[in-house]
Amino acid sequence: MRAFLPSDSCKETQLNAINPQSWLQVERGKISKLSSSCTTTSSSIESFIKVPEPPIVPFFKPVDYVEVLAQIHEELESCSLQERSNLYLLQFQIFRGLGETKLMRRSLRSAWQKAGTVHERLVFGAWLKYEKQGEELIVDLLATCNKCAQEFGPMDVASQFPVEVDGASQETVVTDGEKSLKNVNFWIGDEKIVCRRQKIASLSAPFHAMLNGYFNESLCEDIDLSENNISPLGLRTISVFSVTGCLSDVPPDLLLEILVFANKFCCERLKDACDRKLASSVCTKDDAVELMEYAIEENSPVLAASCLQVFLHELPDCLNDERVVEIFSHADRQQRLIMAGQASFSLYCLLSEVAMNLDPRSDKTVCFLEQLIESAETDRQRLLAFHQLGCVRLLRKEYDEAESLFERAVGLGHVYSIAGLARLGYIKGHKLWSYEKLSSVISSVNPLGWMYQERSLYCEGDKRWEDLEKATELDPTLTYPYMYRAASLMMKQNVQAALGEINRVLGFKLALECLELRFCLYLANEDYKAALCDVQVILTLSPDYRMFEGRVAASQLRTLVREHVDNWTTADCWMQLYDRWSSVDDIGSLSVIYQMLESSEAKGVLYFRQSLLLLRLNCPDAAMRSLELACQHASSEHERLVYEGWILYDTGHCEEGLRKAEESIGTKRSFEAFFLKAYALADSSMDFACSSTVISLLENALKCPSDNLRKGQALNNLGSVYVDCGKLYLAADCYINALKIRHTRAHQGLARVHFLRNDKAAAYEEMTKLIEKAKNNASAYEKRSEYCDRDLTKADLEMVTQLDPLRVYPYRYRAAVLMDSSKEKEAIAELSRAIAFKADLHLLHLRAAFHEHVGDVLAALRDCRAALSIDPNHQEMLELHSRVNSHEP
């Protein structure tokens, strides 16, 4: 949840009012010490190095997500079309709880693609659009390639509803010819409207009974309709419709009048025609607000869906309109059915998320979540709704209501909601009860990291430290334990240990809150250069970021800290960038580029470099923002085309990316255009003919002007292609030339050449050089492990897990070794250790194979199904699933 960051601490403690000027005495031209009020004593450090307690997040977090994913996959295999989207929505909620953004979006896309109703297509299409806010440029670029993103476009709502013909409303001929009158004269005031009696009778059962039944009107030629809220023009239009079946060129106001009349007299065909005609007239939010009221009042589903589409298309802005909020907030069950059909729960899931992102404490967030509870039809849906509203009530300090909601969620099986109950217990002064509540959970299930993290809040000293160590062991992705330990060490004035602790997590997870804490540590240690580096990286990731619980703009702190650091010239900046890039210091490189952007005119090139670093650091959203900025600041058309090509390539549109590269080359031959084309082509196909083309493209790139940072990358890529083609001598030459211009990663390619020449020792030595030079070297340890004996391999892979616990190969290797040693339980446990915090296809695949090997068919089938939830088209996984499924008892 984007805005769900604030968290009330257990003791309701808050930071003191912050005045950045009190920390730094700004004197131009020299470095000053911290002011006397902020000398590095324990008490002064504590005044601005505080770690906020982890929030209770409004996510579905099952104790065994693998089991739930497997259940969903099994249900998807046999469910009706109407149930599919809700199952994919539940899958989305699980992936959101795991922080798996790509998998979340894929589940949303599946829900949209498999939608069984128009309302589901509207909701999930709007949700995809909302998730892709800021990606409008991609849509525009695809349009230039004659390709459109379907989920972004408006839908012809009326065409999605089947035309229903009421058999009872067909024309009836009266058998008694003497009683049959050909025409009927309807009077409205002094105006007479002549209608064909049987055509009007065919509109509905009430009209049929009136004109052909035993009512007096059946014998009358003149009938007064003055008291039925229909105008003469309206009745003439109805008369034409009774003959032609069409409503042509009828203004909306008249259509509304006819719609009300049709509803009153049960004229279903007429009502449906009005419904569809009005639906096509909804163009703006104001139209939708006005017409939704009529749609609900007159039970007009097509018009209601058309209005809903306009509202959803304008998310999140439309939720700033109180009229729209009122419509969604106060709809009863029948009104929700008219407005959203069977997609009410999905609709309020979306609205609740948008509202929480805008302001989780707002009244509209509460209203939408209450509607979500009302819309829930299954226990899974209810527990999610109860938990989410409980989280919001907790933020609003409505503790009794929050407690009731968390209890209901726990009662439905959501164990994570116990964290909410424990937090409430502590707030109310029941610290021991909270501790025992978490202890009971830990002893009754396979414990997860969040359980120990939460329990640590309710104990002190060594017990808290032990719980946080256990939390990190079970789930190293949790940032709070690292931050708490780092802050505690800093309070003891153990600066290096504190930095070492926070660096552990920043080595594999570039979290803003961790960068902010490290900035504080550097500031307390008067290391202004390092502090400046971190605050510039923070601003790169989030330009509007505010530090210290939102009290101070990061940009303001940067201004203050920069006064204490010597200014760099442009030449200094390039030298610093070259040094950091060569030492694989991606964070340091980001900081230098941020500084260069202030003065450099070649901003397009710098934003592009920035995007490359952000992709390496697994920050895809920030990387895309940098690429878009590169497009905006491109100095020429051919440069802009390259950046557009990278945007398309990075979002999965390889063919369109290639087209942009070719267009750029046609405009002007450049290093980046050739490099892009080679990169995209190599990724799409690697047959022999393609390899030759890639080699030619990279050779052309190297002939074009560029700096050594990029030429080193091109030489490295060229070496990789030569290796794949078996041309080891040429490959080695490329890697050596890359190393001469300090492209440090070329050591890895040269190691591979040594290994393929059967010189394992030289390969090991080459990787050792990379490890010594690279600041981020987890991948280097992993690669070196392939070039040594088992004991050294084990040591290298243990180091990988220590540096980056998210890398899955070490777990798989250790599990395979254990399996080879007939230690099946230990092997499965090694994989389970990583699966608990990372939903990874390869880990689940291997564990499924292990379960099959030991004869545990049900466990193997569970892992197969969960893995196929991650990648439904993985061929080896499908084959294993088919094989295991055939053995299911």
Side-chain angles (χ1 to χ4, degrees):
M1 208 66 70
R2 295 183 183 91
F4 216 91
L5 296 177
S7 171
D8 295 322
S9 68
C10 292
K11 295 182 179 179
E12 303 291 327
T13 56
Q14 299 292 335
L15 288 174
N16 298 327
I18 291 175
N19 177 9
Q21 290 283 1
S22 70
W23 303 344
L24 300 169
Q25 292 181 337
V26 180
E27 297 179 31
R28 293 186 178 276
K30 67 176 183 178
I31 297 177
S32 65
K33 298 294 183 181
L34 286 169
S35 66
S36 59
S37 63
C38 283
T39 55
T40 53
T41 64
S42 177
S43 60
S44 66
I45 292 170
E46 188 174 3
S47 70
F48 68 96
I49 297 181
K50 286 191 176 182
V51 179
E53 283 152 4
I56 308 297
V57 292
F59 301 149
F60 180 30
K61 294 173 77 71
V63 171
D64 187 352
Y65 76 86
V66 174
E67 182 67 36
V68 182
L69 283 177
Q71 290 170 4
I72 293 170
H73 186 272
E74 184 178 10
E75 291 172 33
L76 282 167
E77 290 178 323
S78 57
C79 72
S80 65
L81 182 63
Q82 289 72 27
E83 297 173 292
R84 285 187 182 177
S85 287
N86 277 333
L87 287 170
Y88 281 119
L89 175 57
L90 180 62
Q91 190 184 79
F92 161 85
Q93 299 290 358
I94 293 169
F95 288 138
R96 186 170 66 172
L98 292 166
E100 297 286 350
T101 305
K102 287 184 179 179
L103 297 179
M104 286 163 52
R105 285 196 178 180
R106 208 210 54 230
S107 294
L108 277 183
R109 179 168 286 277
S110 295
W112 176 67
Q113 290 172 334
K114 305 294 183 182
T117 68
V118 59
H119 299 101
E120 288 175 339
R121 283 191 287 276
L122 288 175
V123 169
F124 290 112
W127 206 330
L128 282 167
K129 180 177 181 292
Y130 174 71
E131 287 291 324
K132 294 182 176 182
Q133 285 181 95
E135 295 184 15
E136 290 80 5
L137 177 60
I138 299 169
V139 180
D140 295 340
L141 292 179
L142 287 172
T144 66
C145 301
N146 300 317
K147 188 174 180 180
C148 63
Q150 295 178 351
E151 69 271 23
F152 284 97
M155 182 193 305
D156 179 5
V157 171
S159 68
Q160 302 296 314
F161 282 84
V163 178
E164 297 180 6
V165 178
D166 186 352
S169 67
Q170 300 303 303
E171 183 172 346
T172 304
V173 178
V174 178
T175 55
D176 189 342
E178 292 182 359
K179 290 186 179 181
S180 176
L181 299 171
K182 183 177 181 182
N183 293 329
V184 59
N185 301 322
F186 288 117
W187 289 85
I188 298 176
D190 296 330
E191 288 198 48
K192 180 175 75 172
I193 297 92
V194 180
C195 302
R196 293 172 60 177
R197 177 179 290 268
Q198 296 311 319
K199 292 295 184 181
I200 296 295
S202 72
L203 289 176
S204 70
F207 270 127
H208 181 269
M210 176 196 293
L211 299 175
N212 293 328
Y214 297 100
F215 293 93
N216 291 335
E217 287 86 351
S218 66
L219 302 174
C220 296
E221 188 174 0
D222 295 287
I223 300 173
D224 189 358
L225 287 183
S226 299
E227 303 301 321
N228 289 280
N229 297 318
I230 188 73
S231 65
L233 180 58
L235 193 53
R236 288 191 184 93
T237 305
I238 293 170
S239 177
V240 172
F241 177 83
S242 72
V243 175
T244 65
C246 297
L247 290 169
S248 301
D249 300 324
V250 182
D253 288 348
L254 190 58
L255 284 170
L256 287 171
E257 180 185 312
I258 295 169
L259 175 66
V260 175
F261 182 86
N263 225 11
K264 181 176 181 179
F265 286 92
C266 305
C267 305
E268 295 303 323
R269 285 189 300 121
L270 177 60
K271 177 187 172 185
D272 182 67
C274 287
D275 195 4
R276 292 170 185 274
K277 196 78 173 176
L278 282 166
S280 66
S281 70
V282 183
C283 299
T284 67
K285 183 179 64 178
D286 288 338
D287 293 340
V289 169
E290 180 184 356
L291 292 173
M292 182 63 92
E293 182 181 348
Y294 283 96
I296 291 173
E297 183 69 27
E298 303 301 329
N299 191 9
S300 303
V302 185
L303 176 58
S306 186
C307 295
L308 179 65
Q309 174 173 238
V310 171
F311 293 150
L312 296 181
H313 187 74
E314 294 191 20
L315 286 174
D317 294 341
C318 75
L319 294 190
N320 293 319
D321 188 325
E322 288 303 320
R323 299 172 302 167
V324 177
V325 173
E326 182 77 14
I327 290 169
F328 287 129
S329 296
H330 297 99
D332 60 25
R333 181 179 179 83
Q334 180 61 26
Q335 290 168 341
R336 290 195 302 267
L337 188 63
I338 295 168
M339 188 164 51
Q342 299 303 314
S344 291
F345 183 80
S346 304
L347 171 63
Y348 282 99
C349 259
L350 169 58
L351 294 176
S352 300
E353 174 158 334
V354 176
M356 279 190 273
N357 288 337
L358 291 171
D359 180 3
R361 293 183 174 89
S362 68
D363 290 340
K364 66 187 166 196
T365 300
V366 173
C367 288
F368 292 158
L369 286 169
E370 288 174 340
Q371 289 281 21
L372 186 65
I373 291 172
E374 291 294 322
S375 304
E377 296 180 348
T378 68
D379 284 349
R380 287 169 176 165
Q381 292 177 345
R382 290 187 191 95
L383 71 82
L384 173 66
F386 287 140
H387 177 73
Q388 289 191 329
L389 185 52
C391 290
V392 169
R393 295 288 191 193
L394 175 61
L395 275 180
R396 288 162 61 100
K397 300 183 181 180
E398 298 165 354
Y399 298 136
D400 291 339
E401 295 92 332
E403 184 176 14
S404 174
L405 290 158
F406 285 136
E407 284 175 347
R408 295 172 77 178
V410 171
L412 291 169
H414 194 230
V415 175
Y416 177 64
S417 294
I418 290 175
L421 290 174
R423 199 70 66 94
L424 286 165
Y426 189 79
I427 289 170
K428 293 178 178 181
H430 307 303
K431 181 177 179 180
L432 180 59
W433 180 89
S434 297
Y435 183 86
E436 291 175 347
K437 192 77 172 174
L438 268 300
S439 297
S440 176
V441 173
I442 288 168
S443 63
S444 61
V445 298
N446 285 329
L448 298 172
W450 68 259
M451 299 174 186
Y452 283 97
Q453 174 178 272
E454 187 65 26
R455 192 175 74 170
S456 75
L457 304 177
Y458 315 121
C459 53
E460 303 295 337
D462 291 342
K463 279 189 175 181
R464 172 175 279 198
W465 197 275
E466 288 169 8
D467 272 359
L468 290 174
E469 289 286 3
K470 188 66 176 177
T472 298
E473 177 188 329
L474 293 174
D475 186 353
T477 67
L478 297 171
T479 58
Y480 174 77
Y482 301 96
M483 295 172 68
Y484 177 86
R485 289 190 293 262
S488 297
L489 289 164
M490 195 66 183
M491 301 306 172
K492 298 173 183 177
Q493 300 192 43
N494 193 341
V495 179
Q496 293 309 311
L499 289 171
E501 184 62 35
I502 202 65
N503 287 339
R504 282 176 62 192
V505 65
L506 285 170
F508 65 89
K509 186 175 184 178
L510 196 58
L512 285 167
E513 65 271 20
C514 295
L515 280 168
E516 179 179 341
L517 179 59
R518 192 170 71 175
F519 167 83
C520 292
L521 299 181
Y522 283 135
L523 200 62
N525 198 41
E526 301 179 6
D527 188 346
Y528 302 118
K529 187 175 179 181
L532 180 64
C533 174
D534 278 354
V535 77
Q536 289 183 161
V537 174
I538 287 170
L539 289 165
T540 299
L541 294 169
S542 180
D544 300 320
Y545 188 76
R546 299 185 67 83
M547 299 169 76
F548 304 105
E549 295 192 336
R551 286 172 167 79
V552 188
S555 57
Q556 182 184 359
L557 290 172
R558 176 183 179 267
T559 300
L560 294 173
V561 173
R562 193 173 179 187
E563 297 295 336
H564 299 261
V565 179
D566 291 336
N567 287 325
W568 288 343
T569 65
T570 301
D572 291 333
C573 286
W574 275 107
M575 288 295 295
Q576 292 291 336
L577 180 60
Y578 201 86
D579 288 343
R580 283 162 173 71
W581 201 288
S582 299
S583 62
V584 197
D585 177 6
D586 295 334
I587 292 177
S589 299
L590 274 181
S591 176
V592 176
I593 287 176
Y594 184 91
Q595 195 158 327
M596 294 172 74
L597 281 165
E598 281 192 326
S599 56
S600 175
E601 294 183 1
K603 284 184 167 55
V605 172
L606 291 171
Y607 278 122
F608 176 59
R609 300 292 172 84
Q610 191 179 75
S611 73
L612 297 175
L613 291 164
L614 289 165
L615 281 176
R616 274 192 212 160
L617 291 164
N618 195 28
C619 302
D621 291 341
M624 186 55 62
R625 185 174 63 246
S626 295
L627 266 180
E628 291 179 1
L629 287 168
C631 282
Q632 293 173 22
H633 292 87
S635 60
S636 63
E637 182 185 0
H638 75 269
E639 183 184 336
R640 177 182 54 78
L641 288 167
V642 169
Y643 303 147
E644 290 178 353
W646 279 113
I647 288 173
L648 291 166
Y649 174 81
D650 286 344
T651 52
H653 305 286
C654 184
E655 183 180 336
E656 289 75 20
L658 275 170
R659 201 179 305 173
K660 290 288 183 181
E662 289 164 355
E663 193 177 343
S664 178
I665 292 169
T667 304
K668 181 179 179 180
R669 295 164 63 89
S670 69
F671 173 91
E672 292 298 350
F674 281 119
F675 187 91
L676 168 60
K677 185 175 180 181
Y679 196 93
L681 200 58
D683 193 40
S684 61
S685 173
M686 270 312 294
D687 56 39
F688 181 77
C690 179
S691 297
S692 300
T693 304
V694 171
I695 289 170
S696 176
L697 287 167
L698 288 172
E699 287 174 342
N700 281 328
L702 288 165
K703 293 174 185 176
C704 297
S706 186
D707 58 73
N708 284 343
L709 294 176
R710 294 298 285 156
K711 288 204 170 184
Q713 184 65 62
L715 285 166
N716 196 62
N717 289 16
L718 184 56
S720 297
V721 180
Y722 280 137
V723 168
D724 292 337
C725 296
K727 300 177 179 180
L728 300 184
Y729 177 80
L730 291 173
D733 192 47
C734 285
Y735 292 130
I736 290 168
N737 286 332
L739 288 170
K740 287 178 180 177
I741 54 176
R742 295 176 64 190
H743 186 77
T744 308
R745 286 185 172 86
H747 283 297
Q748 183 169 319
L750 193 54
R752 186 182 175 200
V753 171
H754 290 316
F755 179 72
L756 292 172
R757 289 172 171 171
N758 297 316
D759 193 346
K760 203 172 182 180
Y764 183 88
E765 182 62 31
E766 202 67 45
M767 288 308 301
T768 302
K769 292 177 184 177
L770 176 55
I771 288 168
E772 291 169 349
K773 292 179 181 179
K775 185 165 185 176
N776 301 321
N777 53 19
S779 62
Y781 275 106
E782 183 173 297
K783 196 65 183 176
R784 190 177 72 170
S785 71
E786 299 176 19
Y787 307 137
C788 49
D789 59 36
R790 178 168 287 192
D791 287 341
L792 289 174
T793 294
K794 184 178 178 182
D796 273 356
L797 293 180
E798 287 292 347
M799 179 60 74
V800 174
T801 299
Q802 181 180 328
L803 294 172
D804 184 355
L806 296 180
R807 300 185 78 90
V808 300
Y809 173 72
Y811 301 99
R812 295 168 60 209
Y813 176 87
R814 288 189 292 265
V817 170
L818 289 165
M819 202 67 176
D820 287 344
S821 304
S822 299
K823 297 179 179 179
E824 291 90 351
K825 288 184 179 179
E826 293 87 342
I828 290 171
E830 177 65 23
L831 294 173
S832 300
R833 175 162 77 106
I835 288 170
F837 61 84
K838 185 171 177 63
D840 181 79
L841 173 77
H842 302 292
L843 293 171
L844 285 165
H845 186 187
L846 189 56
R847 192 172 74 170
F850 286 0
H851 282 309
E852 182 194 31
H853 178 75
V854 299
D856 191 345
V857 175
L858 291 178
L861 190 58
R862 176 203 62 203
D863 284 353
C864 286
R865 286 170 172 159
L868 288 171
S869 297
I870 294 170
D871 185 354
N873 302 312
H874 191 271
Q875 191 57 41
E876 291 182 19
M877 202 68 249
L878 288 167
E879 292 169 3
L880 178 58
H881 175 256
S882 177
R883 187 170 71 243
V884 172
N885 204 25
S886 66
H887 298 309
E888 184 183 11

